[in-house]
């Protein structure tokens, strides 16, 4: 019986770790998307303002 309680505790700990990793992965993906969007916006603004000699 003691082993069953320990096994359940280990399974809960493993599930908590998995959920934390999943949350971290989603946060990383969102941060990368937002960073890419900001960089693309800034690049467009720089080109529009002819900072790098581009644009019309």
């Amino acid at each position: 019986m003691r082993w069953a309680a320990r096994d359940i505790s280990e399974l809960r700990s493993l599930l908590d770790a998995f959920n934390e990793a999943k949350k971290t992965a989603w946060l990383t993906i969102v941060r990368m998307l937002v960073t890419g969007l900001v960089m693309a916006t800034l690049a467009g603004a720089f080109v529009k303002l002819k900072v790098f000699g581009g644009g019309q």
Side-chain angles (χ1 to χ4, degrees):
M1 191 66 161
R2 287 188 299 192
W3 291 340
R6 188 182 66 197
D7 287 347
I8 289 172
S9 175
E10 287 178 5
L11 284 172
R12 285 183 178 164
S13 176
L14 183 61
L15 186 60
D16 286 342
F18 176 74
N19 285 333
E20 186 68 25
K22 210 169 40 168
K23 182 176 112 177
T24 302
W26 278 113
L27 286 174
T28 301
I29 290 169
V30 169
R31 281 188 188 136
M32 289 174 65
L33 289 173
V34 169
T35 301
L37 189 64
V38 169
M39 289 176 67
T41 302
L42 286 174
F46 286 154
V47 167
K48 193 71 169 173
L49 295 172
K50 300 180 181 178
V51 174
F52 299 119
Q56 299 209 9

